[in-house]
Amino acid sequence: MNVLALETATDACSVALAAGEDLYSRQSTEPRIHARRVLAMVDECLAEAGQRPADVDLLVFGRGPGSFTGVRIATGVVQGLSLGAGLPVVPVSTLAALAQGTIRQQGARAVLAALDARMQEVYWGAFRCDDNGLVDPLGGEAVCAPQRVPLPAAGRRRTDGRGRAPDRSGTGGCPRPGGGRPGRLPGPGRGVQRVLDQGAPHRAGLGQLAARELAVSLGMSDLFLAGRLERTP
């Protein structure tokens, strides 16, 4: 199965093509050039793999949360590719892709993923690793000030029956929590084993999660905090 994944919701613009057992990828961390670079990166990955757009079986894109313009770029490009080649499309949470990269690279079993939302706020979501090595949401995604991000309580996950956390906020999955535990962003020694700056969602994570979405099969010992944000002093 050949899967083409795009992520433009953050300052990093990335493209990955999983062709069988091989992975071809491109990434640029220059902000505000995603619209100019993403199609060229798609062409480069396809050329390196010796593939054509018609050889792709599935399109995947990061649906955010993140930059509104960035999400719109990925949506538009994927829509064009899908209509032109008649390909199915799977959207994947950008926070979930960030968490998946942490599990893949660091061996984490549970991740609190966060991205800079500007205005001194962060997008965040809590995830844990399932038996297949894929992230499973522990609740809905949210946006709030860093010091109001609560550590998730261990226990049963809450999903909507398809392996996804239910969205009861009416705000597209990123509600503003009215409560939350006050204090600073948690650091090592307060239930968090390590604080990592992953910088951007992992390119391969999008494809891994999309494959799971297709199969509708979404699993905490060490808690990690991953993302691109500043620690609250």
Side-chain angles (χ1 to χ4, degrees):
M1 187 178 201
N2 298 330
V3 180
L4 181 63
L6 286 71
E7 175 59 78
T8 60
T10 70
D11 287 343
C13 174
S14 61
V15 173
L17 173 64
E21 298 297 321
D22 299 318
L23 180 67
Y24 306 89
S25 64
R26 296 289 187 275
Q27 179 165 307
S28 171
T29 56
E30 299 178 66
R32 295 182 293 278
I33 67 165
H34 295 6
R36 299 201 305 268
R37 285 289 295 137
V38 65
L39 281 174
M41 294 164 71
V42 169
D43 289 339
E44 291 169 9
C45 288
L46 289 170
E48 185 178 353
Q51 303 277 355
R52 303 168 301 163
D55 296 322
V56 176
D57 299 302
L58 177 68
L59 295 170
V60 183
F61 73 99
R63 62 161 175 77
S67 160
F68 173 78
T69 300
V71 173
R72 187 174 61 181
I73 290 169
T75 303
V77 170
V78 166
Q79 183 180 43
L81 293 171
S82 173
L83 292 175
L87 299 174
V89 176
V90 174
V92 171
S93 162
T94 297
L95 288 173
L98 178 61
Q100 187 65 44
T102 304
I103 287 173
R104 179 188 178 97
Q105 297 172 334
Q106 304 291 334
R109 299 300 300 173
V111 178
L112 185 64
L115 290 167
D116 188 358
R118 314 300 184 198
M119 303 297 290
Q120 300 182 3
E121 292 184 317
V122 294
Y123 301 115
W124 65 273
F127 304 86
R128 71 190 213 181
C129 184
D130 69 10
D131 294 336
N132 297 312
L134 299 177
V135 294
D136 189 6
L138 290 173
E141 297 172 354
V143 58
C144 64
Q147 64 269 24
R148 299 191 70 82
V149 176
L151 289 178
R156 295 183 60 186
R157 59 189 174 94
R158 296 167 295 159
T159 66
D160 63 358
R162 297 184 61 198
R164 302 175 304 187
D167 173 21
R168 301 188 180 93
S169 66
T171 58
C174 271
R176 293 178 180 273
R181 185 163 52 195
R184 298 181 177 85
L185 191 66
R190 298 184 59 206
V192 176
Q193 187 190 51
R194 253 187 286 176
V195 175
L196 307 172
D197 184 1
Q198 295 295 96
H202 197 273
R203 301 178 291 280
L206 289 170
Q208 289 178 300
L209 294 172
R212 191 266 308 281
E213 286 290 323
L214 286 179
V216 195
S217 167
L218 284 180
M220 186 171 208
S221 57
D222 299 325
L223 187 63
F224 286 66
L225 181 65
R228 187 180 182 86
L229 68 159
E230 295 182 0
R231 294 276 309 283
T232 302

